[in-house]
């Protein structure tokens, strides 16, 4: 009887039968989103730069009764996009939700910024999502064609993770801001190209969310090694102390709250919403 109840709950879930691919889902916002979508019935392809965090999220989803598989590795690797999409097709036989979430920051004022530093942000925040969506385009087209022939209207979802640094700019982040602004343009363009395939393409732009990227720069953990580079990803204490004055809600957002905004774009209630940028900053609207 307990199993029957579990099966019934799964059928009633908003994302039952859907296949979700989420980059950077071994930690932070991505992890929260993977757990949320799985709890609503989605089967999830979990990605992280490192194998251990991805495996932990897969195990956590499995323990809760969901289905997930890991696809570890850097999203900037030339072969990653094809491998990521193929993992979903091979393991779950579908492709319904894509969330381009992976990324990090590498700050500096423009006069001190190197070409490598600028290009690194473009690679992870803009080129990697482009490659993933390009790799997904033919499977999506084929699924949509088959569904149209059968007289079925099936909506798919793409959510690109931008930042208010991309919509409004942010000092010391010309590289990051440029990449995230480009992602907004990609979102609006694909919403026009993929509307005929019943794909909703939207963007979430975060303000200050509590993750390892926004911890105090004085913390030891604020120095991380990413693809052989030792990078300080923290935020100065002075900036963090200004938060209550800057954010109308008076605090930073949590990863679960950030994931909730993406979830809104993944559920059937948003089937007629596309090409939009949702600011998630606790009321900041600069």
């Amino acid at each position: 009887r307990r199993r029957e109840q579990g099966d019934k709950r799964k059928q009633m879930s908003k994302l039952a039968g859907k296949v979700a691919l989420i980059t950077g889902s071994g930690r932070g916002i991505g992890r929260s989103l993977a757990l949320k979508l799985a709890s609503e019935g989605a089967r999830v392809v979990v990605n992280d730069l490192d194998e251990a965090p991805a495996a932990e999220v897969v195990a956590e989803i499995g323990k809760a009764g969901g289905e997930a598989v890991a696809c570890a590795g850097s999203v900037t690797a030339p072969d990653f996009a094809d491998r990521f999409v193929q993992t979903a097709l091979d393991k779950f036989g579908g492709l319904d939700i894509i969330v381009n979430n992976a990324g990090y920051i590498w700050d500096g004022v423009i006069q001190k910024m190197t070409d490598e530093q600028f290009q690194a942000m473009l690679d992870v925040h803009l080129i990697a999502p482009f490659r993933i969506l390009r790799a997904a385009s033919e499977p999506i087209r084929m699924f949509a064609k088959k569904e149209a022939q059968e007289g079925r209207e099936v909506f798919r979802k793409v959510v690109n993770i931008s930042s208010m640094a991309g919509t409004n700019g942010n000092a010391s982040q010309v590289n990051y801001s440029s990449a995230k602004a480009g992602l907004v343009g990609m979102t609006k363009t694909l919403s026009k190209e993929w509307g005929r395939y019943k794909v909703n393409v939207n963007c979430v732009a975060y303000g200050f969310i509590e993750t390892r990227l926004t911890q105090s720069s004085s913390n030891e953990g604020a120095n991380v090694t990413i693809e052989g580079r030792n990078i300080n990803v923290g935020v100065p204490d002075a900036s963090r102390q200004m938060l209550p004055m800057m954010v109308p809600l008076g605090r930073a957002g949590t990863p679960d709250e950030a994931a909730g905004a993406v979830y809104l774009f993944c559920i059937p209630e948003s089937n007629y919403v596309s090409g939009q940028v949702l600011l998630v900053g606790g009321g900041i609207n600069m």
Side-chain angles (χ1 to χ4, degrees):
R1 184 175 178 81
R2 185 176 298 173
R3 182 175 180 179
E4 290 176 359
Q5 290 174 338
D7 291 341
K8 189 174 181 180
R9 279 197 302 271
K10 188 172 290 186
Q11 292 170 2
M12 293 172 62
S13 299
K14 289 183 180 292
L15 301 176
K18 301 296 186 181
V19 178
L21 297 79
I22 311 170
T23 62
S25 46
R27 302 176 173 92
I29 297 168
R31 173 185 172 276
S32 290
L33 181 61
L35 297 175
K36 176 64 177 176
L37 298 192
S39 74
E40 287 292 337
R43 294 166 290 174
V44 183
V45 181
V46 177
N47 160 259
D48 194 88
L49 185 61
D50 303 312
E51 290 184 7
E56 288 173 8
V57 174
V58 168
E60 194 170 351
I61 290 172
K63 188 176 180 181
E67 295 181 71
V69 63
C71 182
S74 172
V75 297
T76 64
D79 67 337
F80 176 80
D82 290 330
R83 182 165 63 88
F84 192 44
V85 170
Q86 199 60 47
T87 297
L89 296 174
D90 290 345
K91 180 66 176 180
F92 299 127
L95 190 65
D96 300 287
I97 298 168
I98 300 174
V99 182
N100 285 304
N101 169 74
Y104 62 99
I105 55 175
W106 191 2
D107 296 350
V109 291
I110 192 168
Q111 65 268 28
K112 296 182 179 179
M113 186 168 291
T114 65
D115 286 356
E116 178 192 14
Q117 193 173 356
F118 191 88
Q119 187 64 50
M121 293 295 94
L122 295 183
D123 288 343
V124 70
H125 293 289
L126 189 59
I127 294 175
F130 159 72
R131 288 174 173 168
I132 290 168
L133 296 172
R134 181 178 61 182
S137 61
E138 184 59 15
I140 286 175
R141 188 184 73 83
M142 295 304 295
F143 282 130
K145 181 179 179 180
K146 181 174 184 294
E147 290 151 3
Q149 290 172 344
E150 296 170 350
R152 296 189 296 128
E153 189 175 58
V154 177
F155 285 88
R156 291 181 168 80
K157 312 285 187 170
V158 170
V159 186
N160 294 318
I161 305 303
S162 185
S163 166
M164 292 181 73
T167 60
N168 303 299
N170 196 35
S172 298
Q173 290 190 323
V174 66
N175 51 356
Y176 179 77
S177 297
S178 297
K180 289 301 192 181
L183 203 54
V184 172
M186 187 183 297
T187 297
K188 291 183 177 292
T189 297
L190 274 187
S191 72
K192 292 177 170 60
E193 288 189 13
W194 283 7
R196 57 181 172 163
Y197 301 136
K198 308 300 180 185
V199 182
N200 305 123
V201 187
N202 291 294
C203 185
V204 171
Y206 291 127
F208 200 102
I209 308 296
E210 288 285 6
T211 69
R212 66 174 183 155
L213 301 184
T214 58
Q215 64 182 296
S216 170
S217 57
S218 60
N219 290 349
E220 185 177 336
N223 288 293
V224 300
T225 300
I226 299 175
E227 297 185 337
R229 305 181 180 108
N230 186 37
I231 298 171
N232 187 304
V233 295
V235 176
D237 288 335
S239 297
R240 290 177 58 86
Q241 289 167 4
M242 290 175 62
L243 266 177
M245 293 178 284
M246 295 171 55
V247 180
L249 289 183
R251 61 171 177 82
T254 68
D256 285 350
E257 288 170 331
V262 180
Y263 170 72
L264 296 176
F265 282 137
C266 295
I267 57 178
E269 285 83 346
S270 63
N271 282 354
Y272 203 65
V273 179
S274 198
Q276 301 305 303
V277 180
L278 176 62
L279 302 185
V280 182
I284 298 177
N285 190 19
M286 295 182 293

